[in-house]
Amino acid sequence: MRWDPREQACIPALTTDGRWGDVTAVEALHDADRITAVHGDTPGETAALLEWLLGLLYAAGHHPTDDDEWVDWVKGEKSLAPAASWLAGHPGVWNLFDPVRPLGQNAELLPHLAAYGVGPAQLVIEHAGDYNQHFDHRHLHHAAPLPAAAAWRAMLAQHAFGQGRRARIPAKEMGLPAPFTNLSTCRLGARVRTFALGPTLGDTLRLNLAPWEPDPDREADCRAGTLNLTWGDRNRRPFARTGIHETRTPDGPADYHTVLGRSVALRPVRMSDGTIGVDRVLVGPGETLGDLDAVYRDDEVLTMQGKKAVTFKPQPSRELWREAHALYAATPAERTKGQDLYGRLATLRGRRPELWAVGLLADKGSPVAWVSDCFPYVPGRQADLRHTAEQGSAIAEYAATALRKAAEAACEIGFPNSRTAERPGQLARFNGEKALWAGAGTEFHDLLADVAAGRPVHDCLARYGRAVRRLATSALASGLRFRSGTDQRVRVIARDRLEAELNHWTAPAPLREAIS
């Protein structure tokens, strides 16, 4: 069977005239300026599609070579049609089910599919769980076929975001070495990936197409790195011995954006409607990248942990917007990597891209949820946006701490004789932090939107402070709904403590200004 993303409509797209439909990879590049955006089934799948398209542009040699040319590309809306022509005529193997060189896969696994393959849902990150049991407890061998297009997109997401666990592969029985059961976290699996979004797919790809000076000593097809089409086309990580996994450095952006982070095999099947699907899969470890140069971390966001700058990672207890200030490189001195995505965006006066951050939240290697969020970016106002985001996060943090202290005061009166083991549950009964965070995110995005629209930062923060104060008061009240006389005292004590905290001289000014 044959399935080729250049020929099959496999990328969900929204056109500029408001129509939804699937396009081929060639059409996605050729008509990029007539497509508003591409959308996978999940934020991670959308990110993986953008990554793959960027890899194709570099492989085609159709990319800017320096920052000035990048500006010309973006402002002049450089056509991506030459890359579409290159892709359509590329002689490499693009068949997802080629028996020798399957697209994106390791052909060495194909002979083991019948005996050791499992159901295709294991290919889908948010269904696969820990690669041994699905979240919804469907049996791993449930063989309902997955359409080939969906399987291909899921494979791209695995290559980019797959988590480090043990693969459900009986390596010994398959005659494979033991390291084949050890999965490594893929290159985007442990950090937040940020894209600059424009009004069309073409704009988005150009914005994120970091300049690259091609190597004139290499063959034309490899001057921006080697495109990863299939496992056997180049020397990759060996699985012949145990011990520390071998790592490698990408040879260019085409290589980096298409790294095969998983060793995958897919078995095709003819579905009931006559189309091609996938009914069996094997998922094993793939390529592991070592420390990357700054050129491959063009979008990386750094946050401070104490006095140390660390890569921005998804956190279960901290929403993305609470670190939004890190996305705004307000001054050159605050950028530690030299010229990067954010430095280049700052030069685009008159443009207003959005910053889209996406990551996979995981618990000890088991995927929990995709996290994603969008933030406005206005060249020339990034200092105001950064200050606003910092203050907005600090205001919400302070209000959350005030709610926690109010809950502690309520516990002291409401449960004076509680045991230590009972304390967390009692505190949770009064604590309104979760309710506050649920509403503060919307208020925060409204705050940034107001500043991006040109409204005075001071006025915007004052409005935001009043909104957060109302949220805190409402959140506390929702946890203090009791009836007895004793409970009335609890309410009074908790409310007084919250008021005292919000009015304290150490509280952020917008919270205190809210009562003036």
Side-chain angles (χ1 to χ4, degrees):
M1 296 184 187
R2 178 177 177 80
W3 189 93
D4 186 332
R6 302 175 305 171
E7 303 168 357
Q8 305 295 324
C10 55
I11 300 178
L14 175 65
T15 60
T16 52
D17 58 3
R19 291 182 298 169
W20 280 98
D22 291 349
V23 298
T24 68
V26 171
E27 291 170 339
L29 292 176
H30 188 274
D31 300 329
D33 291 306
R34 292 192 289 272
I35 295 174
T36 300
V38 295
H39 293 275
D41 293 335
T42 64
E45 197 172 280
T46 300
L49 285 169
L50 291 175
E51 285 281 314
W52 192 73
L53 291 173
L54 287 171
L56 293 180
L57 287 167
Y58 283 113
H62 194 60
H63 56 83
T65 59
D66 57 39
D67 290 343
D68 290 338
E69 189 177 359
W70 179 84
V71 172
D72 291 341
W73 272 55
V74 173
K75 290 187 175 181
E77 298 183 352
K78 179 81 169 182
S79 173
L80 303 183
S85 299
W86 173 90
L87 177 61
H90 193 282
V93 174
W94 296 87
N95 181 10
L96 189 64
F97 304 116
D98 188 275
V100 179
R101 298 168 63 202
L103 180 65
Q105 300 167 64
N106 184 351
E108 294 179 12
L109 293 183
L110 294 177
H112 304 289
L113 269 171
Y116 302 109
V118 296
Q122 192 191 44
L123 189 66
V124 184
I125 290 178
E126 56 273 15
H127 291 171
D130 63 0
Y131 299 97
N132 287 284
Q133 178 61 58
H134 302 316
F135 286 160
D136 57 8
H137 303 295
R138 282 183 297 173
H139 195 278
L140 283 168
H141 294 281
H142 182 64
L146 193 65
W152 173 72
R153 295 193 301 268
M155 181 181 67
L156 293 182
Q158 281 282 358
H159 286 322
F161 289 96
Q163 295 296 299
R165 298 283 294 189
R166 286 186 65 80
R168 192 183 182 278
I169 287 183
K172 184 176 180 180
E173 288 83 351
M174 294 169 61
L176 297 171
F180 210 84
T181 65
N182 299 321
L183 303 181
S184 296
T185 300
C186 294
R187 60 190 176 86
L188 300 180
R191 76 171 180 93
V192 171
R193 173 65 162 105
T194 308
F195 293 91
L197 301 183
T200 68
L201 173 62
D203 287 312
T204 294
L205 292 174
R206 285 186 289 264
L207 286 168
N208 294 281
L209 202 62
W212 177 267
E213 182 66 39
D215 185 348
D217 295 330
R218 302 185 65 187
E219 295 182 8
D221 279 355
C222 300
R223 287 179 181 170
T226 306
L227 183 66
N228 293 290
L229 289 178
T230 189
W231 189 268
D233 277 1
R234 62 184 301 174
N235 292 327
R236 302 184 191 274
R237 168 188 170 185
F239 297 99
R241 55 186 179 274
T242 59
I244 299 176
H245 294 165
E246 292 82 354
T247 63
R248 72 174 184 86
T249 301
D251 60 13
D255 182 8
Y256 173 75
H257 287 289
T258 60
V259 163
L260 302 182
R262 284 289 183 264
S263 191
V264 176
L266 310 178
R267 187 176 75 177
V269 66
R270 186 69 65 180
M271 300 177 67
S272 59
D273 61 357
T275 60
I276 301 175
V278 170
D279 70 340
R280 304 287 279 182
V281 307
L282 275 177
V283 178
E287 298 183 277
T288 305
L289 298 182
D291 293 336
L292 296 171
D293 294 335
V295 68
Y296 299 117
R297 298 182 286 110
D298 186 67
D299 70 295
E300 183 183 36
V301 175
L302 301 177
T303 61
M304 297 303 297
Q305 286 188 0
K307 296 182 179 180
K308 183 179 180 182
V310 298
T311 300
F312 186 19
K313 301 178 180 179
Q315 300 180 53
S317 60
R318 196 169 182 83
E319 295 85 350
L320 293 180
W321 63 264
R322 292 164 69 177
E323 296 288 352
H325 54 274
L327 296 171
Y328 300 112
T331 66
E334 291 174 332
R335 293 198 299 273
T336 60
K337 297 183 299 175
Q339 186 70 310
D340 58 8
L341 172 65
Y342 312 100
R344 289 193 303 277
L345 291 177
T347 67
L348 292 178
R349 298 300 177 99
R351 295 292 181 110
R352 292 186 55 177
E354 281 192 305
L355 297 178
W356 179 50
V358 58
L360 180 59
L361 184 61
D363 180 17
K364 297 178 181 178
S366 293
V368 175
W370 293 105
V371 291
S372 67
D373 212 337
C374 280
F375 307 97
Y377 190 95
V378 183
R381 295 215 70 192
Q382 61 267 31
D384 284 344
L385 287 167
R386 182 184 179 98
H387 172 73
T388 301
E390 284 179 324
Q391 292 300 303
S393 180
I395 289 167
E397 294 277 6
Y398 186 94
T401 300
L403 278 170
R404 186 163 59 251
K405 291 179 177 179
E408 290 169 350
C411 280
E412 291 175 2
I413 302 301
F415 306 104
N417 301 315
S418 63
R419 295 189 296 270
T420 301
E422 298 172 334
R423 199 72 171 176
Q426 293 163 351
L427 182 63
R429 180 177 180 180
F430 297 115
N431 197 346
E433 284 185 88
K434 288 185 177 180
L436 172 74
W437 290 123
T442 299
E443 298 294 343
F444 180 86
H445 284 87
D446 290 344
L447 167 68
L448 286 185
D450 286 343
V451 173
R455 297 183 177 90
V457 173
H458 181 274
D459 294 347
C460 294
L461 285 171
R463 285 194 295 271
Y464 174 76
R466 290 191 292 269
V468 171
R469 190 182 183 100
R470 288 193 297 271
L471 284 171
T473 302
S474 175
L476 179 65
S478 67
L480 295 174
R481 292 173 182 165
F482 305 104
R483 299 176 182 175
S484 68
T486 302
D487 293 333
Q488 178 62 32
R489 186 177 174 219
V490 170
R491 285 197 292 271
V492 171
I493 293 294
R495 288 171 182 168
D496 287 350
R497 181 59 184 272
L498 179 62
E499 288 291 317
E501 292 294 331
L502 296 180
N503 297 339
H504 196 270
W505 67 271
T506 59
L511 283 175
R512 289 184 279 113
E513 289 175 358
I515 64 165
S516 61

